[in-house]
Amino acid sequence: MSTARSAAAHPFVAHLRQVAALEHDRRTAAEEACTKAQQVLDEARLRIADAEQELAQAEQRRLIAAERSSAAAAMIASAEDFLNEPAATAADAEDTQPADPPPGSRPPASDSRTLKELVLAVFTGPEMLSPAEVAPLVRVHRSKTTNKAVRSTLTVLRREGALVLVERGYYRLPKQEERL
């Protein structure tokens, strides 16, 4: 009987082996498809990383170009303003400028005012101001004025008697009786 069972089992085992071989082939095909898909994905990630790097470089170049463009536009505007101002000779300038400005007249334009004049203009009454409070007010008229320049000017004005050092780091205009 053992021969009958083995003969009957043999076609079934052969069929199972065929099924196993088919499944093995399907598994191999699926692994190859996964490997191929992973390679495509890795390549896409590399292209994305390269594209992001190119984008960052392009944005940096755009920022630099915008800064240069605005600087060039500012230079052009400055040059146009300079060229549009009427040119005056030294003789013309002497004829048109009075020797002393009349009392009570407006001070000269802030561009032509000295740093001393600008610092003194900040003090309008009896208030006490520190160099840190004076500097931003001076920068309204002269944007490149440094804190050190303001402190030095305050010291010079104090020595000249135009300002009084009230306490460390605070200045004010002298009172009317102090000026006389």
Side-chain angles (χ1 to χ4, degrees):
M1 284 222 182
S2 67
T3 58
R5 272 192 218 167
S6 16
H10 183 59
F12 182 67
V13 171
H15 174 69
L16 288 177
R17 286 187 179 148
Q18 286 177 348
V19 169
L22 281 172
E23 293 303 321
H24 179 70
D25 291 343
R26 287 181 184 163
R27 180 178 169 198
T28 304
E31 286 176 354
E32 288 174 2
C34 281
T35 303
K36 186 176 180 181
Q38 185 64 44
Q39 288 174 348
V40 169
L41 184 61
D42 289 342
E43 289 173 5
R45 285 182 180 150
L46 284 174
R47 285 195 307 266
I48 289 172
D50 289 343
E52 287 175 343
Q53 186 177 13
E54 288 177 19
L55 177 64
Q57 290 172 349
E59 286 176 347
Q60 186 176 10
R61 286 191 303 267
R62 182 182 67 184
L63 179 65
I64 291 169
E67 288 175 1
R68 287 182 175 185
S69 175
S70 67
M75 287 175 49
I76 290 170
S78 176
E80 286 175 343
D81 289 345
F82 178 75
L83 293 174
N84 289 335
E85 291 179 4
T89 63
D92 293 339
E94 289 176 9
D95 293 340
T96 60
Q97 291 181 349
D100 289 324
S105 68
R106 295 180 73 185
S110 62
D111 292 340
S112 62
R113 292 165 67 183
T114 65
L115 186 56
K116 285 182 182 181
E117 291 172 334
L118 290 171
V119 169
L120 281 174
V122 170
F123 292 91
T124 57
E127 75 275 357
M128 297 186 317
L129 297 174
S130 69
E133 295 167 326
V134 174
L137 298 172
V138 170
R139 280 194 203 103
V140 168
H141 301 286
R142 276 201 188 161
S143 60
K144 297 188 182 207
T145 304
T146 63
N147 289 344
K148 184 177 181 181
V150 170
R151 284 192 309 271
S152 298
T153 304
L154 287 168
T155 301
V156 168
L157 289 170
R158 180 189 55 82
R159 287 183 187 146
E160 293 175 354
L163 290 176
V164 175
L165 180 64
V166 179
E167 59 185 61
R168 182 178 178 180
Y170 284 92
Y171 298 85
R172 68 168 169 79
L173 290 173
K175 294 181 181 168
Q176 193 65 10
E177 58 270 8
E178 293 174 350
R179 291 183 196 172
L180 300 174

